[in-house]
Amino acid sequence: MSTKEGPVEHEDRWILNLRGMRVTRISVDFRLVLVLDSDWEVTLEAPIILSHGTARTSPSELLKPESQDVAAALALFGANVLSAVAFKSGSLRLVFDTGHLLTCSSDLSFEAWQVTGTTGWRFVALPGGELAIWSG
């Protein structure tokens, strides 16, 4: 994974340059924070859908960071990111090599999630479903 490559913009989404990064730390307060290699962070404040495999073989779980109901997210520790997509509608989707899929939608009232990195890139899901983006 090269941290020199920046995220790539498409018409309806941004492909984030997190492929191959590993979850090295998980913390919980009123948010769920996944710390990745190279000091990138994924901070989630809105409810999150975490699934594993297909919907037929394993139902998804609703994680609620505000109430610290996120125990299922511990399965992501040590997982490598296969895909990270920030949709311009305000949703975030992360796919991991463990077969887990994490999805966080935007919220009408507050910033649902953000992804920040040491290279100056920052993506924030604004209330109502838009993205704010800062680049290095």
Side-chain angles (χ1 to χ4, degrees), residues 26-32 44-50 60-74 102:
I26 298 173
S27 64
V28 180
D29 46 30
F30 64 92
R31 329 163 280 171
L32 172 65
L44 306 150
E45 296 183 34
I48 306 152
I49 296 173
L50 181 65
S60 60
E61 295 190 49
L62 181 64
L63 309 181
K64 300 175 190 168
E66 187 175 294
S67 61
Q68 294 85 36
D69 185 8
V70 295
L74 292 176
L102 182 148

Side-chain angles (χ1 to χ4, degrees), residues 45-96:
E45 296 183 34
I48 306 152
I49 296 173
L50 181 65
S51 58
H52 185 268
T54 66
R56 297 173 119 193
T57 61
S58 180
S60 60
E61 295 190 49
L62 181 64
L63 309 181
K64 300 175 190 168
E66 187 175 294
S67 61
Q68 294 85 36
D69 185 8
V70 295
L74 292 176
L76 299 176
F77 183 77
N80 292 304
V81 177
L82 292 179
S83 171
V85 180
F87 292 92
K88 292 182 179 180
S89 63
S91 293
L92 176 69
R93 182 182 65 208
L94 299 174
V95 179
F96 297 90

Side-chain angles (χ1 to χ4, degrees), residues 110-134:
F110 62 91
E111 296 172 351
W113 58 266
Q114 65 179 312
V115 177
T116 57
T118 57
T119 58
W121 282 98
R122 184 176 191 177
F123 291 80
V124 178
L126 297 175
E130 293 184 40
L131 287 183
I133 302 160
W134 292 264

